[in-house]
Amino acid sequence: FRQYASSWLEARELKPRTRDEYRKLLGLPRDGAGVIRQPAKSAVTLLDEFGDSTLEAIVPQAVRSWHRGLGAATPTRRAHLYALLRTVLGSAVEDEIIATNPCQIRGAGKAKRVRRIEPATLEELRIIVAAVPERWAMLVELAAWCALRFGEATELRRKDVSKDGSVLKVRRGVTWLNGSPVVGEPKSEAGARDVTVPPHLIESLLQHLDTWADPTTNGLVFPAVGNGHLNHGTFHKHYRRARASAGRPDLRLHDLRHTGAVFAAQAGA
């Protein structure tokens, strides 16, 4: 399995962050300098269990036993491990190395949501926007009203904003890999989209461009203080304080996408 999974990963066309995540789940060395990734002691990998097994030896009973042994403490990671194992062994079936896929546990590749998202109210959103540094207040507004992901907002450039500020062209997103920004296509095909900016935000967005955005055509709309892409950790240091001031320490920035959906529904969308 170790040999097959390594060659399988090498042959796949994947985004850098996805490839890195698969390496972590498998327990393979990192890309680049050949440094062996040392997972946390509690982080089980596929190679821990199946690395030295022949593909024919990975039978349904072995998979079920392994899956039960993972327990229910980390449902998302368990689902990701199972889904990757199923995908790798599915390729082995296509390559006619094994006759059938031994991963036959129904629904095991999906994790049930364990956390209920409570959308922010308008007043909570107002408090959060007022509490973050002014240069990033519009980022919070767009996360809520336009349902932008953090990586989409922080890769927005002046050329992506219409001259009148009424439309955002979301064509790219930025992720972070080993401490460096990686720009790529949005998370899904549907992620490449034109987003209408609500009328009440247009004037503030245009003012933000004049005050805080990089002045060049290809400049970032939400650059970091020293220029370049805004890092998730840097922004969230301020965002955590802002959401606490609104009495919503549970509200992740990504949850504001749900808030925007609620606002749209209430407006008749």
Side-chain angles (χ1 to χ4, degrees), residues 55-143:
L55 297 182
E56 294 87 349
I58 306 175
V59 296
Q61 182 181 1
V63 173
R64 285 194 297 271
S65 176
W66 162 76
H67 188 261
R68 282 196 303 270
L70 292 176
T74 55
T76 300
R77 181 174 177 82
R78 180 175 64 170
H80 289 173
L81 284 166
Y82 179 87
L84 182 57
L85 179 66
R86 182 182 58 199
T87 300
V88 173
L89 294 178
S91 294
V93 174
E94 294 174 3
D95 292 338
E96 299 183 352
I97 298 174
I98 54 178
T100 59
N101 194 328
C103 295
Q104 299 172 10
I105 305 173
R106 183 172 297 178
K110 296 180 180 180
K112 295 181 180 179
R113 186 188 296 276
V114 296
R115 176 179 174 275
R116 183 178 182 275
I117 296 172
E118 183 68 31
T121 65
L122 282 171
E123 178 61 14
E124 288 168 349
L125 179 61
R126 184 193 66 77
I127 294 171
I128 292 171
V129 169
V132 297
E134 186 181 351
R135 66 183 299 132
W136 296 320
M138 182 51 57
L139 193 158
V140 177
E141 296 272 31
L142 295 182

Side-chain angles (χ1 to χ4, degrees), residues 167-243:
V167 176
L168 306 175
K169 292 185 176 296
V170 179
R171 297 294 184 270
R172 301 166 310 283
V174 61
T175 57
W176 290 80
L177 184 62
N178 301 327
S180 300
V182 178
V183 176
E185 296 177 351
K187 190 173 181 179
S188 64
E189 287 187 21
R193 61 202 189 277
D194 290 352
V195 179
T196 299
V197 179
H200 74 282
L201 288 185
I202 291 177
E203 185 177 347
S204 297
L205 175 58
L206 294 176
Q207 185 165 352
H208 170 89
L209 292 175
D210 290 340
T211 307
W212 300 109
D214 186 306
T216 62
T217 302
N218 200 44
L220 292 167
V221 174
F222 299 105
V225 174
N227 260 333
H229 286 94
L230 175 61
N231 183 281
H232 195 277
T234 300
F235 172 78
H236 273 72
K237 178 175 61 177
H238 300 285
Y239 180 74
R240 282 193 294 269
R241 287 198 291 262
R243 69 185 183 185

